[in-house]
Amino acid sequence: MSSEAEGRFHMMDVSSLTSGPHRAMLRTDDGVRVEALHEPFPAAASDTAVVVAHGFTGSLDRPAVRRAAAVLGRHAAAVVTFSFRGHGGSGGLSTVGDREVLDLAAAVRWARDLGHARVATVGFSMGGSVVLRQAALDRATPTGPDAVAAVSAPARWYYRGTAPMRRLHWMVTSPAGRLVGRYGLRTRVDARPWDPVPLPPFEAVPLIAPAPLLVVHGDRDAYFPLDHPRMLAAAAPAGAPVELWLERGMGHAENAADEELLDRLGAWLVRR
């Protein structure tokens, strides 16, 4: 998904890693402008960056995303947050996990451009499906991540087995639902159906290795039951570096991720 020369992303520019937080508008490979924020590790220059992919209806400025970024940034790493297309201050329309892989690739590319030799990605809910697919599609390119964590991610598409997912499908597929999304949730959704249907998350998992993968899911997730994370973990080939954390009492995505879990997650991402 990127034709950039690999060597470009491995030149250390210490000034870019130690200056204060700064925002940018990134341009994806299909021309969408995506807002992003880079926050360096405050204590010293770090060659590691964690790129955070929020859930559907989120944005880089939502409180849950800011809280996650603050905790992840304690672990000797810079943090890059961004808003998916159709969300926050980004342009375009949400495709609910399809072309969002291009948004994530642009954020990873930016982290490399800033001098970070190691980039890990972590995604929540829709963002979790995106980090899985982007890692698989960009595995052999400069935008391929060095480690991946998917939190509260679906394993397969078109799941309607819970009331929250039935409401989400109504919002995405009906004109009235898209109006609610635009004006009530500040999320602009593309009315066009997927064509073709993107690679399902569980089919992306076998393509991620050798990058390590962490699957995290709460046992009180109201959107996706536990067969989703188990299906993701089971899809990994034998010997692949995959871990599964089933979190007792946790609900869904970044809003339900407490400080203790985010702290463990940050440690895992930097260590791996």
Side-chain angles (χ1 to χ4, degrees):
M1 294 173 62
S2 171
S3 61
E4 302 282 354
E6 183 171 3
R8 172 186 175 191
F9 299 108
H10 294 276
M11 296 174 63
M12 179 66 72
D13 178 1
V14 174
S15 64
S16 69
L17 304 187
T18 56
S19 58
H22 64 284
R23 291 181 179 249
M25 291 299 293
L26 313 179
R27 189 172 293 278
T28 68
D29 284 350
D30 63 344
V32 175
R33 288 171 62 83
V34 172
E35 64 174 353
L37 173 66
H38 174 264
E39 298 172 281
F41 182 61
S46 172
D47 70 347
T48 301
V50 175
V51 178
V52 180
H54 62 75
F56 185 59
T57 75
S59 75
L60 71 81
D61 288 318
R62 290 291 175 91
V65 175
R66 300 271 35 90
R67 178 173 57 88
V71 178
L72 295 172
R74 298 172 184 171
H75 292 274
V79 177
V80 172
T81 48
F82 67 97
S83 298
F84 280 121
R85 60 186 64 203
H87 294 72
S90 293
L93 298 172
S94 173
T95 62
V96 200
D98 180 11
R99 299 191 70 79
E100 282 75 7
V101 293
L102 301 175
D103 308 343
L104 178 58
V108 173
R109 182 182 302 120
W110 188 44
R112 302 270 194 213
D113 278 343
L114 290 172
H116 299 289
R118 298 182 64 255
V119 179
T121 57
V122 55
F124 298 88
S125 191
M126 180 189 77
S129 71
V130 173
V131 299
L132 294 172
R133 291 181 53 245
Q134 190 266 339
L137 295 171
D138 286 2
R139 165 177 64 172
T141 76
T143 54
D146 298 292
V148 182
V151 183
S152 305
R156 54 195 184 274
W157 303 134
Y158 303 113
Y159 178 73
R160 292 179 173 86
T162 58
M165 285 305 298
R166 289 190 289 274
R167 289 194 295 269
L168 186 148
H169 279 275
W170 170 80
M171 174 184 156
V172 169
T173 60
S174 72
R178 289 190 292 273
L179 282 174
V180 170
R182 176 180 289 268
Y183 296 108
L185 299 172
R186 294 180 293 173
T187 302
R188 307 173 304 281
V189 179
D190 195 332
R192 294 170 295 182
W194 287 340
D195 184 22
V197 175
L199 181 74
F202 80 94
E203 292 186 13
V205 167
L207 306 177
I208 293 173
L213 169 63
L214 173 62
V215 177
V216 182
H217 211 90
D219 66 359
R220 294 187 180 179
D221 192 309
Y223 287 77
F224 303 114
L226 291 177
D227 64 306
H228 283 261
R230 288 171 175 149
M231 186 178 188
L232 290 172
V242 176
E243 295 182 39
L244 172 61
W245 295 357
L246 298 180
E247 298 296 310
R248 190 167 185 175
M250 179 186 167
H252 185 68
E254 59 262 52
N255 290 319
D258 62 21
E259 183 172 342
E260 187 274 336
L261 171 59
L262 292 169
D263 197 52
R264 280 191 284 124
L265 187 56
W268 186 92
L269 288 165
V270 173
R271 182 178 72 250
R272 298 304 299 266

